[in-house]
Every structure is written in C-alpha cells, then in structure tokens.
Amino acid sequence: MFNKILIANRGEIALRVIRACREMGIKSVAVHSTADSDAMHVRMADESVCIGPPAGSESYLSIPNLISACEITGAEAIHPGYGFLSENANFVQVIEDHGLKFIGPTAEHIRIMGDKITAKETMRNLGVPCVPGSEGGVETIEEARQIAEDMGYPVIIKATAGGGGRGMKVATSEDDIDVAFSTARSEGKSVFGNPEVYIEKYLTLPRHIEIQVFGDGKGKAVHLGERDCSLQRRHQKVFEEAPSPVIDEATRQRIGKTCAEAVAGINYAGAGTIEFLFENGEFYFIEMNTRLQVEHPVTEAIFGIDLVREQIRVAEGLPLSFAQDDLVINGHAIECRINAEKVPEFRPSPGTVLQYHAPGGLGVRMDSAIYDGYKIPPYYDSLIGKLIVHAADRRTALARLERALSELVIDGIDTTLPLFDALLRQEEVISGDYTILWLEKWLETNPEI
Ligand code: ADP
C-alpha cells in the first residue's frame, strides 16, 4: 500500500484525488504555484509544496520541481489528474527512474496513444473500427489532394500530435484543401512541436461516444459502458451523460467487449477512454485518452464505483476489484462543465468569487474547488466546477439537473451557467436528439443567452 501520494495538479481534480486518498487512509501532498497558495486543494491536502511561479510551464509542468516535491515529502507515487503532465510519457519515465510510481499506464502506452497515427494503427490491428482515412502520415499537398479526391469530400486534416481540439482542419472541397493542410501542419508544429498530419473522412452527422475501460496491466480488462459527449463547442465537451440515449444494451456490450479486449491485448494498466464518433449505427475510433477524463463522474454514478480508488489500487499492483459481470448500469447521470467564462462569447472571466453555494440533495454531486472569497487566477483552465446529477432515468436526471442548477449560486464572476439553463429548455436536449454540430449551430442562432 502507498503511504503518501503527490497530486501533480490543481483545481477540482486535485481535490477529487485527495478525497480518494483520504478514504483509503493514504496521506496526500498538494503542489501549487505561487498563484495558488490559497487554493482549496492546498488547504485540503495533508501537506503542500510550492513548486514555482504562476506560469504552468514553471510550476505544474516542471518535472524537476515535481520530483523534488516527492523527495522532500517522501511521497511514493504521483497522480497526474488530467491535463498538465497526465499524458506525458517522458514524465512517467523520469518518475520511474527515480524509483517512484506513476498512477496510470506505462510510458510506452502513453507514447503510442499520444501519437494519433500510431494510436489508430494500433487500434485497427486490435480489431477496433476506425474512421476511413490515409494510411499513416501525409507528407505533401499533392498526396493530400489525391487522398481526399479518392475518399470524397469533406475530409478532416489532423495533426498526429494534436489535442484539445487543436491542430484539426476541415476541407469541404478541393478549394480548401491547400489551406487546411498547411494550417493543420503549422498548428501541429507550433502548438505540439510536430508538423506530421493525416487525413480522415469528415463525418457530418456523428455523435461523440466514448468507452471507459480499465486494465490491470496483466492482461485483464473490463469496460464500463459509454459516455455520450455530443454537446460540444469548438470540439470541447460541455455536457456529458451516461448511458447514451442512443446506445442499446446489445450495442454497448458489443463495442465494450471490443474495447476491453483491445486494451487487455496490450496489457494496459489503469483507466483509459476510447473515443469514437458514432454515425448510422457504426463506431469510428478517433483517439484514446490514457488518463482519467474530466467527465468520469457520470460513469462513477451509474456504476456506483470510485475510479480514482481503482487507479490507485491498480498502481499498487492489486487486481481489479470488479469483474465485467459485476458492472451493471443503475440509472442515468449527467454532468455540466461550469467555466468561468462570459457567455455568449465564452470570454474567460477570472476574478473573485463573492458568494458560492453548492446544490445538494439526493443524486447531486458538485466537484469544485471554489469557495467564498476565492480569487480565480487568470493563468489556468477556466473550468471551475462540475455539477453531476444521478437519477433513475434520463427524464428524472434532467429534472434533477434543473433543480440543482436553480440552487447553485456563484456570484462575483461570469460563468457558463446561463448556457445550461437555456439548454435544458431545448427540445433537442430534452429528447437527446443531436449530433456534435448541434450546439455550435444553436449558439449561432441564440446569441441572447
Ligand atoms: P482532440 O485530441 O483534439 O480532442 P479528437 O480526435 O478527439 O481531437 O477530436 C475531437 C473532436 O473533433 C471530436 O469529438 C469531433 O467533434 C471532431 N472530429 C474529430 N475527427 C472527426 C471526423 N473524422 N469527422 C468529424 N468530426 C471529427
């Protein structure tokens, strides 16, 4: 058993991990930048270490500072949360070189899945269905034009190193292919340090469905059904639910089994998410995230399990605490990502939270690190909280969400809460009938929110 875990993150996810540690009797170490000295994760952890100035590159992303913090405090393992260094294979390597344990998969699995071309090739070989597209990287504009012509427009050009919705460009006809190709390449190079791109058929009416998997690192793995994250803005999720309103049990078991077998086949360890686009009853793999997802609580709600606890157990070398047959869905869960942003422009709105009141009651979970008087620093991601509701069915979950939103108070800053109030009144959201393009289109025609 680990005695002490360091959490290489901040905000709500750092709190999430601290909570799991406390319940397991494990001491927690928070790290923070000078801008986060008063942050809730620092207050809640058993110990804390300042690891640098506000800029993420000099604090939360500084591998030497994080390793020093482990050495100073005697932490034996590091939980990366999501974002920051959570999918950095080099970080995992350095941790292991120092005789510490990374709570997550191996450096090699992170490397494979972090390069989208290699990830796609690996998944295809493991029997996972993929979006039709180029075989590997595309070097020249002539090659890109030829592939797009053979496949038919629209196509999407993606940087193999891309992430967070960046490094992707759609070409609807041969008129845009040159610009799409060179923009994706230059964004890949400038943002991710790698200009290599590949081409995929651009699906026009898909939903985003992702499968949660969990491996023990020794050839056993299970799936925990799907999450539907089709409500997106700029390829970023804003509202997620489990199960999906469009996936039936037979389909769930079929794709879930394919995914569990794929990760078992590579001896994958810990939590992972295999992301698909889903169109006309078919799944198309787009990428695998080798970490805990922001939206993991909806899966926890419907299965009644603690995914962070399970991550820690697997890192300790213990077997999975559930078998596939133990995993039975109970009800429906929905999550709203609340950002410190002013709608409808979604302009970041850092500042001081004058008043915060979290909703409560049956089936309501609020994961947030804000408090009365908390000053949201301008340096980091604008996510300030996640409201998760759980109920017997989707209709009741929507009613519970509306009720919980009516109780939630965040004063002093602008947030994306008005968006959710408005969304809950839309017929498409109520019926669950939308594709990944719906929200953007709706926002264009509803500037009043
Ligand atoms: P990232 O790593 O930046 O999150 P992904 O490959 O996961 O990139 O894609 C993010 C989002 O971009 C998807 O959820 C979807 O909205 C859109 N997208 C990606 N590939 C395609 C495609 N082939 N067709 C249509 N939309 C796509």
Side-chain angles (χ1 to χ4, degrees):
M1 278 295 265
F2 298 134
N3 289 309
K4 203 184 266 188
I5 290 176
L6 180 138
I7 299 118
N9 217 303
R10 63 183 299 284
E12 69 84 21
I13 194 61
L15 281 195
R16 169 71 191 84
V17 180
I18 293 168
R19 286 175 170 144
C21 288
R22 186 145 300 156
E23 290 179 18
M24 295 173 85
I26 300 170
K27 293 259 180 286
S28 55
V29 179
V31 292
H32 65 92
S33 69
T34 49
D36 274 341
S37 304
D38 294 326
M40 187 58 98
H41 74 285
V42 175
R43 298 182 180 195
M44 283 234 317
D46 293 303
E47 288 171 65
S48 65
V49 181
C50 181
I51 51 163
S57 57
E58 295 176 62
S59 51
Y60 298 102
L61 292 168
S62 166
I63 297 177
N65 296 7
L66 288 162
I67 299 291
S68 303
C70 277
E71 282 170 355
I72 294 165
T73 56
E76 306 143 86
I78 298 186
H79 194 299
Y82 52 69
F84 291 123
L85 293 166
S86 60
E87 290 177 293
N88 185 311
N90 178 46
F91 181 45
V92 179
Q93 198 60 59
V94 175
I95 289 173
E96 282 167 7
D97 291 347
H98 283 78
L100 302 164
K101 188 86 195 133
F102 177 73
I103 301 174
T106 60
E108 196 199 339
H109 286 154
I110 293 177
R111 206 168 281 127
I112 292 171
M113 297 306 165
D115 181 273
K116 292 185 175 189
I117 293 174
T118 320
K120 220 174 149 178
E121 202 174 282
T122 309
M123 283 297 173
R124 196 184 293 117
N125 292 337
L126 287 162
V128 176
C130 296
V131 189
S134 59
E135 292 274 331
V138 177
E139 302 292 330
T140 64
I141 183 66
E142 290 74 27
E143 210 186 323
R145 258 195 236 119
Q146 189 59 52
I147 293 167
E149 208 167 288
D150 294 347
M151 205 158 51
Y153 286 93
V155 299
I156 183 165
I157 312 209
K158 294 172 143 183
T160 188
R166 307 209 49 194
M168 291 187 295
K169 291 289 162 234
V170 178
T172 47
S173 74
E174 60 176 313
D175 297 342
D176 338 310
I177 186 101
D178 292 20
V179 174
F181 181 79
S182 48
T183 320
R185 266 183 86 84
S186 60
E187 216 169 284
K189 182 149 195 271
S190 63
V191 184
F192 305 100
N194 181 356
E196 189 169 27
V197 296
Y198 63 108
I199 303 188
E200 267 178 4
K201 180 83 190 147
Y202 183 68
L203 304 177
T204 48
L205 294 169
R207 293 181 76 106
H208 175 113
I209 309 273
E210 57 186 36
I211 307 292
Q212 175 75 55
V213 290
F214 226 102
D216 70 353
K218 298 165 192 154
K220 275 214 185 86
V222 296
H223 73 86
L224 294 98
E226 78 284 2
R227 291 182 287 261
D228 191 322
C229 314
S230 301
L231 284 181
Q232 300 184 352
R233 179 180 168 270
R234 302 211 170 145
H235 305 306
Q236 300 271 31
K237 302 158 190 169
V238 298
F239 176 105
E240 304 103 342
E241 62 187 308
S244 164
V246 300
I247 302 289
D248 60 31
E249 185 58 22
T251 309
R252 171 174 308 116
Q253 291 308 331
R254 178 170 56 82
I255 190 70
K257 187 164 180 272
T258 303
C259 291
E261 284 174 2
V263 294
I266 55 171
N267 291 334
Y268 186 82
T273 296
I274 305 187
E275 296 193 335
F276 293 95
L277 295 176
F278 180 72
E279 190 174 84
N280 295 327
E282 299 291 335
F283 287 92
Y284 301 96
F285 169 78
I286 44 173
E287 68 165 345
M288 176 166 181
N289 292 321
T290 50
R291 54 168 166 82
L292 195 68
Q293 302 269 106
V294 175
E295 60 274 20
H296 75 278
V298 292
T299 301
E300 295 189 319
I302 61 166
F303 287 106
I305 55 165
D306 181 336
L307 288 173
V308 177
R309 181 189 185 92
E310 202 61 24
Q311 286 187 298
I312 295 171
R313 282 176 50 92
V314 167
E316 284 172 336
L318 295 170
L320 294 178
S321 56
F322 35 75
Q324 191 66 60
D325 290 347
D326 301 331
L327 296 166
V328 180
I329 294 177
N330 171 25
H332 197 97
I334 303 176
E335 173 183 282
C336 294
R337 294 191 190 195
I338 302 159
N339 289 350
E341 288 170 2
K342 177 153 173 46
V343 286
E345 312 89 322
F346 294 86
R347 185 168 13 92
S349 164
T352 304
V353 177
L354 298 178
Q355 235 196 91
Y356 170 56
H357 175 77
L362 183 65
V364 175
R365 166 175 172 182
M366 183 78 197
D367 278 19
S368 173
I370 65 170
Y371 54 86
D372 284 354
Y374 174 58
K375 216 165 160 238
I376 298 169
Y379 312 104
Y380 313 107
D381 193 271
S382 60
L383 181 81
I384 52 163
K386 306 184 311 204
L387 171 58
I388 304 107
V389 295
H390 180 218
D393 53 47
R394 189 170 190 273
R395 213 164 57 99
T396 322
L398 286 169
R400 185 158 286 165
L401 180 58
E402 193 175 351
R403 189 271 292 170
L405 283 166
S406 74
E407 291 177 19
L408 175 57
V409 178
I410 305 175
D411 278 349
I413 52 156
D414 285 307
T415 72
T416 48
L417 283 171
L419 170 69
F420 298 110
D421 290 333
L423 280 179
L424 285 179
R425 292 194 298 272
Q426 304 312 307
E427 216 174 279
E428 290 85 346
V429 175
I430 295 166
S431 63
D433 182 17
Y434 41 73
T435 71
I436 54 171
L437 300 175
W438 180 83
L439 179 58
E440 293 254 2
K441 283 221 183 80
W442 180 80
L443 283 167
E444 276 168 28
T445 48
N446 289 273
E448 78 274 13
I449 56 135

